[in-house]
Amino acid sequence: VAGLLSGFLLRSSAQAQGRQVLRDDASLAATATDVSVERNGRARVPEAIVRVLSGDRISVVLVDSAGALTGPEGRPLTAQPLSARDVATLTNGGDVSTTRTVNGSRSYVEARPLSDGGAVVLFQKLAAARSNEGGTRLRLIFGLGVGLLVAAAVGVVLARRLARPLQRAAAAAHRLSTGARDVRVEPEGPAEVAEVAEAINALNAALSVSEGRQRDFLLSVSHELRTPLTAVKGYAEALADDVVPAEAVAPTGRVLLAESGRLERLVSDLLDLARLGAQDFRIDVTDVDVNELVRQAATVWADRCAREGVPFDTQLPAAPVWVRTDPTRVRQIIDGLAENALRVTPTGRPIVFALQANVDGGAVIQVRDGGPGLTDDDCAVAFDRSALYERYRGVRKVGTGVGLALVAGLTRRLGGRAEAGRAPEGGACFAVYLPGGRGGQGWPQTGPLT
C-alpha cells in the first residue's frame, strides 16, 4: 500500500515538476526572443537557448503574426502542437498551457506571446518531462524493500513472542480439560497475553475450589443419606427377623415412616436444587395472600416446635398481603427456613414467623430463631451450598447445606432475593423479599420490616 501510494504521488510530483520547468523555459525563451525582435526586427530564439532546450528534449516553435508555425530556423513545421483555438489565444496576447498529441505522443505544450504579435511555443513529451522519475522510483523501491524486510523480521520475532505464551496457555487449558489441577502458566509476553495466563491460573484455582466443594457436598449428602438408611435398614431387618414385639410394631412403623420421609425430603431438595437452573423448572404464578399462606405454615410449625420444646410466635399484619407468585414454592421456602431454624434452636429458645408488606410493593417474610446466630462472614455466605456446613460441622447441629441454597435459588426464580442477618431473639434472621402486585394494585404503605 505504501509503495502504490508513493508511486502515485511520485508520478504526480514528477509531472507537476516537469510542467513547471517547461513553463519557466517558455517564459525565458519568450523574453530572449523579444530581445531579438527589438535588436534585429525579427523573431529569433537564441541558439544557446535552443541547444539547452534540445538537451532536455524540448522542441521550440515560433508563431508569426499571421499565425503560421515555423521552426526556430524559420523552416515550416511539420508537427502541429497548437490548435487553431490556441493560435487565436496567442494572437490575442494570451498564454497557452495545455497537453496535446504531437507526432503520435502526448506532450506538454507551453506558449507565450511576443511583442511583435507572434509567439514562442515549447513542447515536450510527457515521458521526457518525467525523465527524473525513474531514478527516484528505484530509490523508493529500494527503501520500501528494505522496510519490508525489516518489518517481516520484526513480525516474525513478535509473532513468536506472542505465539509461544499463547501455545503454553492452550496446552495448559487442554490439561485442565483432562482433569489435571496442578497446572500453572507463567505470565509472560505483552500485557494482554499475560492476562490470558493469569485468567487460566484463576480458572484453575476456581475449579479446584469448586471440585473440592462438590466432594465435600457429596460426602455430607452421603452422610445425611446414610443415617436414615441405617435406621430404615435396621428396623426392617428387625421386622423381617420377627424380633420386634407385637406392641412395638406400630412405633417401629412410625420410625420407619419418619426416616423414609426424611429421605424423601432430602432427595426432593437435591432434585429441586439440581433443576433450579433448568428451563423446565415449573413456576405456577397466581395471586396469593401471603398472610394466609404464612398462617397456614405457622399452624404446622407451631405444633412441631411444641413437640421440641421450642416456643413459637408469629408477627403478622391484620390485612391481606397480596403477591403474584407461586404459593407452593413460597411454602417450600418457608418450610426450608423453618426446618433450618428448628435444627439449630435449643429447647426454650424461640422461633418467630414475621410478615409485612414492603413499602415499594411485595412482601417480606422473616424466619427468626434464638439459636447460636451468625457472624457477618456467615451472613455473606449463608446461602452458598455447604458453606455453613463446612464451617460448623462438628461444632453445632448442621444440615447438608442444601436447604438454604435451595431457598436462595427458589427466591431468585420467583424474582425476589434472600438475605441473612441477626435476629432480636439472639439467633439468625432469614428474610425473603418477594416482588408484589395483585392485578397491578398497589400495596399498603407501611414501614419496613426490621
Side-chain angles (χ1 to χ4, degrees), residues 136-435:
T136 305
R137 183 185 290 113
L138 288 176
R139 290 191 291 272
L140 175 64
I141 292 174
F142 176 76
L144 289 173
V146 172
L148 181 61
L149 291 176
V150 173
V154 173
V156 170
V157 173
L158 289 177
R160 289 181 177 177
R161 186 172 178 230
L162 288 172
R164 190 178 296 110
L166 287 176
Q167 289 171 344
R168 292 196 184 103
H174 287 306
R175 290 185 59 198
L176 287 176
S177 68
T178 61
R181 293 296 175 263
D182 57 341
V183 178
R184 177 167 178 79
V185 184
E186 190 66 31
E188 58 179 324
E192 294 81 0
V193 178
E195 187 175 354
V196 173
E198 293 170 354
I200 290 179
N201 292 335
L203 175 62
N204 183 27
L207 286 174
S208 300
V209 172
S210 177
E211 291 177 354
R213 286 181 176 176
Q214 289 181 7
R215 286 192 296 269
D216 294 339
F217 176 70
L218 291 175
L219 288 174
S220 64
V221 168
S222 64
H223 175 74
E224 290 295 323
L225 289 172
R226 189 180 295 113
T227 301
L229 280 174
T230 301
V232 169
K233 182 179 179 180
Y235 281 108
E237 289 177 348
L239 289 173
D241 294 340
D242 200 19
V243 297
V244 179
E247 64 275 10
V249 170
T252 301
R254 286 193 292 271
V255 172
L256 288 173
L257 183 61
E259 293 301 317
S260 62
R262 181 180 172 189
L263 276 173
E264 183 182 15
R265 287 194 302 273
L266 180 57
V267 172
S268 177
D269 286 349
L270 288 172
L271 289 175
D272 282 343
L273 188 62
R275 292 180 52 218
L276 268 176
Q279 294 295 325
D280 61 348
F281 186 77
R282 185 167 179 176
I283 299 291
D284 297 319
V285 178
T286 185
D287 290 332
V288 179
D289 180 6
V290 185
N291 195 352
E292 181 61 27
L293 189 64
V294 175
R295 287 182 190 276
Q296 294 173 3
T299 301
V300 175
W301 284 98
D303 183 59
R304 287 193 59 180
C305 289
R307 290 198 300 268
E308 299 292 335
V310 174
F312 182 83
D313 191 16
T314 58
Q315 297 176 2
L316 307 177
V321 178
W322 291 99
V323 171
R324 189 160 182 79
T325 187
D326 185 336
T328 302
R329 299 302 181 183
V330 175
R331 178 60 188 271
Q332 190 176 359
I333 290 171
I334 296 172
D335 290 342
L337 293 176
E339 184 79 36
N340 179 76
L342 186 58
R343 182 186 301 113
V344 299
T345 303
T347 302
R349 301 295 297 168
I351 289 179
V352 177
F353 282 7
L355 171 68
Q356 191 167 345
N358 203 8
V359 292
D360 57 352
V364 184
I365 302 172
Q366 284 188 344
V367 176
R368 307 196 300 261
D369 62 65
L374 301 173
T375 66
D376 290 339
D377 290 340
D378 293 339
C379 293
V381 298
F383 297 101
D384 293 348
R385 191 178 62 187
S386 300
L388 296 182
Y389 172 83
E390 291 300 324
R391 290 188 180 186
Y392 294 109
R393 181 174 54 181
V395 178
R396 65 172 74 162
K397 291 182 179 180
V398 290
T400 60
V402 174
L404 291 178
L406 180 60
V407 165
L410 288 172
T411 305
R412 284 193 297 270
R413 287 302 296 265
L414 294 176
R417 71 181 192 277
E419 295 180 357
R422 295 186 179 89
E425 290 77 13
C429 171
F430 293 95
V432 173
Y433 296 80
L434 297 176

Side-chain angles (χ1 to χ4, degrees), residues 19-246:
R19 188 152 205 163
Q20 185 60 47
V21 169
L22 189 62
R23 287 172 180 165
D24 295 340
D25 289 344
S27 298
L28 178 62
T31 301
T33 305
D34 274 336
V35 172
S36 175
V37 171
E38 293 174 358
R39 290 179 179 176
N40 307 320
R42 62 184 291 267
R44 181 180 180 82
V45 180
E47 294 181 2
I49 293 180
V50 173
R51 286 196 302 271
V52 172
L53 294 177
S54 298
D56 291 337
R57 289 180 288 180
I58 299 174
S59 300
V60 182
V61 175
L62 291 175
V63 180
D64 60 20
S65 57
L69 276 68
T70 63
E73 300 85 2
R75 292 194 301 269
L77 189 67
T78 57
Q80 297 293 330
L82 297 178
S83 65
R85 189 177 199 180
D86 296 334
V87 173
T89 301
L90 291 171
T91 303
N92 293 328
D95 294 344
V96 172
S97 180
T98 185
T99 304
R100 293 282 184 266
T101 300
V102 182
N103 294 331
S105 300
R106 295 292 290 174
S107 302
Y108 292 132
V109 177
E110 294 290 336
R112 300 293 182 268
L114 298 175
S115 58
D116 65 349
V120 174
V121 181
L122 272 62
F123 62 93
Q124 183 183 30
K125 294 180 180 180
L126 268 63
R130 301 197 307 265
S131 60
N132 294 329
E133 182 183 351
T136 305
R137 183 185 290 113
L138 288 176
R139 290 191 291 272
L140 175 64
I141 292 174
F142 176 76
L144 289 173
V146 172
L148 181 61
L149 291 176
V150 173
V154 173
V156 170
V157 173
L158 289 177
R160 289 181 177 177
R161 186 172 178 230
L162 288 172
R164 190 178 296 110
L166 287 176
Q167 289 171 344
R168 292 196 184 103
H174 287 306
R175 290 185 59 198
L176 287 176
S177 68
T178 61
R181 293 296 175 263
D182 57 341
V183 178
R184 177 167 178 79
V185 184
E186 190 66 31
E188 58 179 324
E192 294 81 0
V193 178
E195 187 175 354
V196 173
E198 293 170 354
I200 290 179
N201 292 335
L203 175 62
N204 183 27
L207 286 174
S208 300
V209 172
S210 177
E211 291 177 354
R213 286 181 176 176
Q214 289 181 7
R215 286 192 296 269
D216 294 339
F217 176 70
L218 291 175
L219 288 174
S220 64
V221 168
S222 64
H223 175 74
E224 290 295 323
L225 289 172
R226 189 180 295 113
T227 301
L229 280 174
T230 301
V232 169
K233 182 179 179 180
Y235 281 108
E237 289 177 348
L239 289 173
D241 294 340
D242 200 19
V243 297
V244 179

